[in-house]
C-alpha cells in the first residue's frame, strides 16, 4: 500500500495482477522444478549471495563487467530462461529462512553450525528492521562495474536487464532497496547510465570509485564481517562460499535429484 502512495485501488489491482502472474507462470512451484540453466548461467554472469546488511537484508554481489551472457544466449538460453532464474532467486531470497531450514533438515546436517549461526544472525537483524518497516522482503546489490562498457549492454543482454527490472517493480516492489556500484572508473559514463536506467525507480543507487572501494567504503552500508575480503571486508567466507549461496546451489541440486528419483 505504501509503495502506491496509499492508493488502495491501485494497490489492490497490482496485488491481483501479481497473484494472476504467479499462477500463470507457476511461480508458486518454481522450486519444485529443475533449474537446468543454473550452472551455465552462474558461469556466464557472476552473482553471489554473501552476508546481509545491519538491518537484515541479503546482499548480492554482481560483476556485469565480466559477464558472458551473449555467449550464453548463443548456446540456446533465452531471455525467458534468464527471467525464470531471476524469479527463482527472488523466491529463494524472500523465503530464505524457511528454505534453508528445510534443505538442511532433509540433508541431516544440522550439526553444521555455520549456516545456523549465519541464519540466526540474519533473522535477528531482519526482525529488528521489521519493527519499523512494513515491507518484509528486501535485498541490496553490490555491483562491481570494473570492465563495464556500452558494448556489453546490447541486444538480449539489455532486454534481459530491462525485463528483470520490470519484473522486480511489478511483482517484488520495493525489494531491491539499494545498489552500490563499486570499482567505478572515471570513463564509466554511458555504461552506468544504461545500467541505472533499467533499475526499478524505487532503488537508491550509490557509486564508489576504485579507491573508495579499496579504502573500505562499503562499510558504511554493510558490517565489515559481512563483506568478502575481495571488497575490503573481513568475512570468514570467500565470495561464492557463503552459506546463503551454498544453500541456493543445494536447492537446485535437490530438485535435480528429486526429479531423477521420481523418474526411477
Amino acid at each position: 500500500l505504501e509503495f502506491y502512495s496509499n492508493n488502495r485501488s491501485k494497490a489492490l489491482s497490482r496485488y491481483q495482477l501479481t497473484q494472476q502472474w504467479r499462477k500463470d507462470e507457476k511461480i508458486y512451484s518454481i522450486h519444485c522444478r529443475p533449474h537446468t540453466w543454473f550452472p551455465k548461467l552462474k558461469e556466464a554472469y557472476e552473482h553471489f549471495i554473501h552476508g546481509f546488511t545491519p538491518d537484515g537484508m541479503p546482499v548480492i554481489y554482481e560483476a556485469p563487467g565480466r559477464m558472458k551472457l551473449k555467449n550464453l544466449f548463443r548456446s540456446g538460453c533465452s531471455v525467458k530462461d534468464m527471467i525464470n532464474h531471476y524469479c527463482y532467486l527472488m523466491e529463494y531470497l524472500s523465503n530464505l529462512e524457511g528454505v534453508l531450514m528445510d534443505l538442511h533438515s532433509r540433508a541431516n546436517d544440522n550439526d553444521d553450525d555455520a549456516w545456523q549461526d549465519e541464519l540466526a544472525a540474519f533473522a535477528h537483524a531482519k526482525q529488528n528492521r521489521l519493527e519499523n518497516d512494513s515491507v518484509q522482503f528486501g535485498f541490496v546489490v553490490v555491483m562491481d562495474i570494473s570492465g563495464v562498457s556500452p558494448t556489453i549492454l546490447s541486444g538480449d543482454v539489455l532486454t534481459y536487464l530491462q525485463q528483470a527490472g520490470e519484473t522486480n517493480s511489478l511483482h517484488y516492489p520495493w525489494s531491491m532497496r539499494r545498489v552500490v556500484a563499486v570499482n567505478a572508473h572515471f570513463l564509466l559514463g554511458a555504461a552506468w547510465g544504461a545500467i541505472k536506467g533499467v533499475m526499478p525507480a524505487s532503488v537508491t543507487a550509490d557509486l564508489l570509485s576504485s579507491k573508495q572501494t579499496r579504502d573500505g567504503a562499503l562499510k558504511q552500508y554493510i558490517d565489515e564481517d559481512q563483506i568478502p575480503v575481495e571488497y575490503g571486508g573481513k568475512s570468514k567466507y570467500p565470495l561464492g562460499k557463503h552459506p546463503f549461496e551454498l544453500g541456493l546451489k543445494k536447492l537446485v541440486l535437490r530438485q535435480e535429484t528429486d526429479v531423477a528419483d521420481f523418474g526411477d
Side-chain angles (χ1 to χ4, degrees):
L1 185 59
E2 185 180 352
F3 185 74
Y4 296 107
S5 303
N6 292 316
N7 185 324
R8 292 185 177 277
S9 176
K10 188 172 183 179
L12 178 59
S13 176
R14 288 296 187 182
Y15 172 78
Q16 292 172 337
L17 178 68
T18 292
Q19 293 307 302
Q20 188 61 49
W21 169 78
R22 292 181 67 84
K23 180 179 179 181
D24 293 344
E25 299 298 326
K26 296 182 173 59
I27 300 298
Y28 58 86
S29 62
I30 197 168
H31 289 166
C32 297
R33 303 192 298 273
H35 189 347
T36 54
W37 282 105
F38 184 81
K40 290 185 177 180
L41 199 151
K42 293 286 281 187
E43 181 181 350
Y45 188 21
E46 293 183 21
H47 58 292
F48 305 105
I49 310 165
H50 193 107
F52 53 90
T53 63
D55 53 354
M57 290 187 283
V59 181
I60 304 173
Y61 288 78
E62 301 183 359
R66 295 193 290 272
M67 66 182 175
K68 304 171 185 176
L69 287 183
K70 291 182 180 180
N71 293 337
L72 183 67
F73 288 132
R74 292 191 191 104
S75 70
C77 183
S78 66
V79 172
K80 184 174 178 60
D81 292 324
M82 289 286 295
I83 295 299
N84 180 75
H85 170 73
Y86 184 82
C87 294
Y88 194 100
L89 179 61
M90 292 298 100
E91 293 296 309
Y92 173 72
L93 290 175
S94 62
N95 297 283
L96 188 59
E97 300 101 307
V99 174
L100 282 180
M101 291 291 289
D102 179 59
L103 284 171
H104 287 281
S105 65
R106 288 194 186 196
N108 295 318
D109 57 359
N110 287 313
D111 56 335
D112 178 7
D113 292 337
W115 73 270
Q116 295 185 66
D117 292 344
E118 288 295 318
L119 189 61
F122 162 73
H124 178 71
K126 178 181 176 181
Q127 188 59 44
N128 287 339
R129 172 174 61 82
L130 292 178
E131 291 178 3
N132 300 298
D133 189 344
S134 61
V135 181
Q136 289 270 336
F137 172 42
F139 66 96
V140 169
V141 174
V142 174
M143 186 177 292
D144 187 341
I145 53 178
S146 57
V148 169
S149 67
T151 57
I152 293 176
L153 305 171
S154 61
D156 286 338
V157 175
L158 188 57
T159 299
Y160 160 67
L161 293 175
Q162 289 171 335
Q163 289 191 17
E166 291 171 0
T167 298
N168 185 280
S169 295
L170 286 173
H171 306 303
Y172 303 97
W174 268 16
S175 58
M176 187 188 295
R177 301 299 183 87
R178 183 183 296 273
V179 173
V180 184
V182 300
N183 289 326
H185 52 83
F186 293 109
L187 301 178
L188 190 62
W192 172 240
I195 294 173
K196 193 174 180 180
V198 297
M199 293 179 188
S202 60
V203 172
T204 299
D206 298 317
L207 201 61
L208 300 179
S209 68
S210 297
K211 183 179 185 304
Q212 289 173 315
T213 304
R214 289 194 304 271
D215 291 345
L218 263 180
K219 287 183 284 188
Q220 63 186 297
Y221 309 102
I222 309 166
D223 288 341
E224 190 174 43
D225 66 345
Q226 294 294 322
I227 302 173
V229 173
E230 294 91 331
Y231 292 98
K234 294 184 178 180
S235 172
K236 59 185 177 182
Y237 303 104
L239 190 62
K241 299 298 183 180
H242 190 279
F244 294 174
E245 175 67 22
L246 296 181
L248 178 63
K249 294 177 181 178
K250 187 186 289 285
L251 175 63
V252 173
L253 181 60
R254 188 190 75 181
Q255 299 315 123
E256 293 177 353
T257 303
D258 286 351
V259 170
D261 289 345
F262 181 78
D264 292 340

